């Protein structure tokens, strides 16, 4: 249970939007009073304590709500929502409901399903309190004085995901005053909901595990893994600066585990995992720095950039934006960094540029809802070169209900197999992401089961890469558990004989037999109960096309000339990964080029 007081200041609301405290301890639900109508026409509620339950992202959200005639006095919550995201949504919406009894609250960015579950549970409780639900859902029209604003800064950044935050910190470290705008209510973008893997050649960690690697190997796998369509200069910058960027993050206080692994589609064990869940470690690290330097770094949320400002010489000098209370003009002495992410959540843009996949209209995405390609469109309007937009990455690892990567039971490439609806393997599970996804699309219902055993989950409270325990996933029906492969097969509806044969063949390959699909990445056999299965489908994950940049992150126009004062970093850029991005290279890209963009803009400006 979690108990939160009624009053909250604006400062605390801001803190809740960028900090990710875990849920408090849970208590038994308070007894519920009988359902009765409100005591008078003027009253909102019948005083008492009521309980409401609804499905969140990871199971039920149960709220115990205490009300008087016109106020929500207390909300206690019981849930298993993801630490760092879902629990933040519950906390933020609880405070909003206590501040003003209403059901018209906005969903928390990055935690849509948790937000919807909270509101549904609150509604269920307030129905029992005799509330007029439709009245509570009506947003009050508050007269807010529209006031245009103008800001002067040195480096202006559009986008508050990993690339934008990295750029903000780097620019400040290099002596610049910084202003960052983010159109969503919360900071974090796709980074905060990512699986968090960061590829880098790391002699210290890899040698401790007996792993041989080199920057050249990382370069070759990245370049060739993208069908040699990536810009070699940009690939070289990425692989040579990835580990220094990890060291930079560590210097800011971020912590990574000592063990590297092979994330899906990484092709080699060089993926680093943060200690904090999902991508919260990256965001918290940057926000801690930003909060310590508020005099020089300004962050504005719910501000959507609309148009780049260009002077008579063709240099970008700022941008126009729309805020909640009026128009905003940002003047940037040194220039503007676009870090708005890709367009994975923009179905129209996906359909417009897709030439390599079947129709993507009805395919869900791992991306947050703000990944709509805004920065690409703004840059294109001032003649920026836009490249390789057809290169859209799909993953075979989407949640069947949401498209999210959460709920995925794999811990690394080496210790799991994929089987189709018949219980048969169908692909090299260590292959490129596009290869695996194409193979999955050829299976019945484009669906597969991930199979692991106790090697991946020594105990029931072992967490996956999204900080979800395997026991919780089984309880929620998102994973299945059995002491035998035959029983597991029956639970998931595949042919037991096929599943047993698939596992036996895999185990033989671990011992050195040639794998029928050419797989080369192995560690442990699947031979120790309990065995687990999790269902997965294709999902849109990353858009490799976007704004063309130089190795210093300067934006190039359609004539090949540099656009003065304009920089770009992260998924909004194109030409780094080519036709296929290696797993674990996105966060390396985002933070490496974000760091470079901040330094370049701060020190060289619009020269």
């Amino acid at each position: 249970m979690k108990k939160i007081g009624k009053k909250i200041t604006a400062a605390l609301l801001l803190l809740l939007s960028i900090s990710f405290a875990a849920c408090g301890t849970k208590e038994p639900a308070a007894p519920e009073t009988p359902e009765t109508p409100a005591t008078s026409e003027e009253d909102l509620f019948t005083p008492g304590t009521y309980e409401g339950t609804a499905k969140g992202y990871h199971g039920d959200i149960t709220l115990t709500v205490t009300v008087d005639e016109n106020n929500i006095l207390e909300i206690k919550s019981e849930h298993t929502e993801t630490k760092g995201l879902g629990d933040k949504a519950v906390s933020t919406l609880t405070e909003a409901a206590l501040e003003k009894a209403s059901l018209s609250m906005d969903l928390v960015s990055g935690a849509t399903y948790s937000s919807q579950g909270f509101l549904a549970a609150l509604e269920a409780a307030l129905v029992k309190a005799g509330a007029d639900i439709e009245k509570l859902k009506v947003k009050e029209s508050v007269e807010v004085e529209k006031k245009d604003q103008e800001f002067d800064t040195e480096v202006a950044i559009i986008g508050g995901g990993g690339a934008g935050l990295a750029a903000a910190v780097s620019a400040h470290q290099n002596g610049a005053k910084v202003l960052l705008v983010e159109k969503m209510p919360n900071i974090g973008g796709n980074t905060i909901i990512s699986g968090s893997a960061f590829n880098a050649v790391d002699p210290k960690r890899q040698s401790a595990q007996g792993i041989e690697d080199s920057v050249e190997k990382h370069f070759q796998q990245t370049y060739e893994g993208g069908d040699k369509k990536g810009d070699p200069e940009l690939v070289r910058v990425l692989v040579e600066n990835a580990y220094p960027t990890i060291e930079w993050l560590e210097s800011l206080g971020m912590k990574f585990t000592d063990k590297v692994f092979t994330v899906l589609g990484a092709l080699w064990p060089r993926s680093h995992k943060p200690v904090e869940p999902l991508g919260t470690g990256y965001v918290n690290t940057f926000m801690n720095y930003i909060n310590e330097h508020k005099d020089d770094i300004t962050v504005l949320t719910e501000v959507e950039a609309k148009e780049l400002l260009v002077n008579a010489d063709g240099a970008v000098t700022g941008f126009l934006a729309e805020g909640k209370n009026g128009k905003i003009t940002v003047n940037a002495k040194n220039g503007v960094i676009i870090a708005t992410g890709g367009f994975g959540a923009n179905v129209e843009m996906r359909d417009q540029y897709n030439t390599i996949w079947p129709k993507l209209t009805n395919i869900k995405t791992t991306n947050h809802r703000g990944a709509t390609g805004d920065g690409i469109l703004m840059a294109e309007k001032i003649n920026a070169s836009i490249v390789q937009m057809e290169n859209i990455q799909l993953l075979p690892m989407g949640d069947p209900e949401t498209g999210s990567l959460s709920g995925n039971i794999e811990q690394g490439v080496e210790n799991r197999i994929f089987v189709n609806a018949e219980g048969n393997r169908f692909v090299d599970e260590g292959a490129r992401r596009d290869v695996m996804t194409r193979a999955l699309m050829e299976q019945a219902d484009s669906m597969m089961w991930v199979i692991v055993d106790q090697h991946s989950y020594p105990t029931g409270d072992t967490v996956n890469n999204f900080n979800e325990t395997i026991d919780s996933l089984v309880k929620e029906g998102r994973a299945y558990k059995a002491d035998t492969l035959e029983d597991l097969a029956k639970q998931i509806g595949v042919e037991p004989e096929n599943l047993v044969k698939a596992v036996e063949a895999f185990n033989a390959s671990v011992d050195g037999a040639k794998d029928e699909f050419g797989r080369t990445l192995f560690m442990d056999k699947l031979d120790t109960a309990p065995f687990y299965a999790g269902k997965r489908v294709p999902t849109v994950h990353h858009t490799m096309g976007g704004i063309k940049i130089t190795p210093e992150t300067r934006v190039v126009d359609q004539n090949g000339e540099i656009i003065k004062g304009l920089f770009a970093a992260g998924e909004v850029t194109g030409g780094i990964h080519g036709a296929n991005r290696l797993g674990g290279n996105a966060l390396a890209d985002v933070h490496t080029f974000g760091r470079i963009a901040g330094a370049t803009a701060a020190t060289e400006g619009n020269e």
Side-chain angles (χ1 to χ4, degrees):
M1 292 279 189
K2 184 188 293 184
K3 180 177 177 182
I4 303 177
K6 180 178 178 183
K7 297 298 182 181
I8 184 166
T9 65
L12 182 55
L13 276 172
L14 176 60
L15 179 62
L16 283 168
S17 73
I18 59 177
S19 64
F20 309 99
C23 291
T25 56
K26 298 176 182 176
E27 307 167 3
E32 189 176 311
T33 58
E35 187 174 329
T36 55
T39 54
S40 75
E41 291 184 5
E42 291 78 18
D43 294 340
L44 291 177
F45 313 117
T46 300
T49 299
Y50 307 88
E51 186 176 279
T53 299
K55 184 172 176 57
Y57 195 78
H58 295 310
D60 288 343
I61 296 175
T62 298
L63 303 181
T64 303
V65 183
T66 300
V67 298
D68 63 14
E69 289 84 353
N70 292 293
N71 302 287
I72 298 176
L73 302 176
E74 182 180 74
I75 298 175
K76 296 178 180 178
S77 61
E78 184 174 1
H79 62 82
T80 56
E81 299 302 279
T82 305
K83 291 181 180 180
L85 282 179
D87 65 340
K88 179 195 68 171
V90 172
S91 297
T92 301
L93 292 174
T94 295
E95 296 296 351
L98 291 167
E99 184 70 13
K100 189 168 187 179
S102 173
L103 287 169
S104 67
M105 295 166 284
D106 293 330
L107 305 182
V108 175
S109 175
T112 300
Y113 289 92
S114 297
S115 301
Q116 291 172 336
F118 175 91
L119 291 174
L122 181 59
E123 179 177 335
L126 295 182
V127 164
K128 296 173 183 177
D132 183 340
I133 297 301
E134 294 308 313
K135 181 178 179 181
L136 293 179
K137 288 183 177 180
V138 174
K139 286 190 176 183
E140 292 185 11
S141 55
V142 180
E143 288 293 331
V144 178
E145 181 183 356
K146 295 290 184 180
K147 183 179 179 181
D148 293 347
Q149 294 178 282
E150 187 166 352
F151 294 88
D152 295 321
T153 191
E154 291 173 327
V155 174
I157 301 168
I158 306 173
L165 293 173
V169 171
S170 176
H172 180 264
Q173 287 182 326
N174 282 276
K177 185 175 181 180
V178 180
L179 183 143
L180 180 150
V181 302
E182 166 57 49
K183 74 174 181 179
M184 304 302 290
N186 303 319
I187 295 297
N190 275 340
T191 295
I192 199 170
I193 58 173
S194 71
S196 75
F198 187 121
N199 281 353
V201 176
D202 182 342
K204 182 179 178 180
R205 288 181 175 90
Q206 288 176 307
S207 61
Q209 294 176 230
I211 299 168
E212 294 185 6
D213 199 5
S214 67
V215 170
E216 189 59 33
K217 188 179 188 73
H218 192 187
F219 173 86
Q220 290 298 330
Q221 288 181 326
T222 299
Y223 184 57
E224 294 174 7
D227 294 331
K228 299 183 178 181
K229 293 183 179 179
D231 183 330
E233 280 192 283
L234 297 179
V235 176
R236 182 66 65 184
V237 170
L238 171 64
V239 300
E240 290 183 351
N241 289 278
Y243 185 65
T245 299
I246 281 186
E247 292 182 305
W248 176 64
L249 288 164
E250 290 176 327
S251 75
L252 293 170
M254 187 165 176
K255 297 185 183 301
F256 293 87
T257 63
D258 290 333
K259 184 178 180 180
V260 297
F261 69 108
T262 309
V263 76
L264 178 86
L267 306 184
W268 200 254
R270 62 172 69 94
S271 306
H272 294 67
K273 183 178 181 178
V275 170
E276 293 185 68
L278 294 94
T280 58
Y282 300 101
V283 176
N284 287 340
T285 297
F286 292 133
M287 290 309 301
N288 287 340
Y289 181 95
I290 289 169
N291 288 333
E292 291 173 359
H293 299 87
K294 287 183 177 179
D295 290 343
D296 297 319
I297 308 175
T298 301
V299 175
L300 304 176
T301 57
E302 295 184 274
V303 173
E304 184 172 0
K306 294 290 188 179
E307 180 183 348
L308 295 169
L309 296 174
V310 181
N311 67 15
D313 296 326
V316 173
T317 60
F319 58 85
L320 301 177
E322 288 285 347
K324 289 188 296 183
N325 301 324
K327 296 180 180 180
I328 294 175
T329 301
V330 176
N331 303 308
K333 178 182 178 182
N334 288 33
V336 174
I337 300 172
I338 300 178
T340 52
F343 57 94
N346 188 327
V347 176
E348 290 184 3
M349 283 186 74
R350 282 165 23 185
D351 285 347
Q352 175 185 352
Y353 290 107
N354 173 41
T355 60
I356 61 177
W357 295 103
K359 197 170 180 65
L360 299 178
T361 305
N362 297 319
I363 301 291
K364 294 181 174 65
T365 181
T366 62
N367 289 198
H368 78 112
R369 59 191 175 94
T372 52
D374 305 356
I376 296 172
L377 299 176
M378 276 189 288
E380 191 173 30
K381 286 182 180 177
I382 64 164
N383 203 40
S385 178
I386 308 298
V387 297
Q388 300 186 5
M389 292 290 283
E390 71 280 4
N391 292 332
I392 299 171
Q393 181 171 75
L394 272 64
L395 284 187
M397 280 296 178
D399 180 281
E401 298 296 325
T402 67
S404 165
L405 294 182
S406 68
N408 180 14
I409 65 172
E410 71 170 6
Q411 295 284 24
V413 168
E414 293 88 349
N415 288 353
R416 52 88 170 118
I417 62 170
F418 304 156
V419 299
N420 59 21
E422 296 176 348
N424 296 318
R425 287 179 64 209
F426 57 90
V427 71
D428 169 9
E429 297 92 344
R432 290 172 23 164
R433 290 177 164 184
D434 54 349
V435 171
M436 290 185 285
T437 305
R438 288 187 189 282
L440 176 57
M441 286 180 157
E442 295 174 357
Q443 308 308 306
D445 298 324
S446 296
M447 179 277 297
M448 71 179 186
W449 295 97
V450 179
I451 308 295
V452 299
D453 73 350
Q454 191 186 89
H455 289 101
S456 293
Y457 293 94
T459 63
D461 59 1
T462 304
V463 298
N464 64 3
N465 291 327
F466 293 83
N467 209 46
E468 302 158 315
T469 69
I470 191 64
D471 277 355
S472 70
L473 293 176
V474 171
K475 181 180 179 181
E476 295 157 15
R478 303 174 72 203
Y480 296 83
K481 175 183 179 181
D483 288 330
T484 67
L485 289 170
E486 290 84 354
D487 184 21
L488 187 67
K490 291 176 182 177
Q491 289 189 47
I492 63 177
V494 307
E495 178 59 46
E497 183 179 354
N498 291 344
L499 180 59
V500 170
K501 287 182 178 179
V503 171
E504 288 177 345
F506 169 80
N507 290 343
S509 296
V510 176
D511 283 335
K514 184 177 180 180
D515 183 78
E516 63 177 309
F517 297 100
R519 175 171 171 161
T520 59
L521 293 171
F522 302 96
M523 186 177 294
D524 300 308
K525 294 181 180 179
L526 296 174
D527 61 0
T528 307
F531 300 95
Y532 298 96
K535 192 175 185 180
R536 298 279 102 179
V537 299
T539 183
V540 174
H541 184 55
H542 194 97
T543 51
M544 283 86 74
I547 301 169
K548 185 174 182 179
I549 59 171
T550 70
E552 300 78 29
T553 72
R554 292 184 178 277
V555 174
V556 177
D557 70 15
Q558 294 179 21
N559 298 316
E561 299 295 325
I562 288 172
I563 299 176
K564 293 182 179 180
L566 187 60
F567 312 84
E571 195 174 345
V572 74
T573 65
I576 297 174
H577 303 287
N580 172 71
R581 178 178 66 75
L582 299 195
N585 269 4
L587 291 178
D589 165 11
V590 161
H591 295 104
T592 295
F593 283 97
R595 181 188 181 199
I596 292 170
T600 304
T603 58
E604 300 178 25
N606 56 12
E607 294 175 3

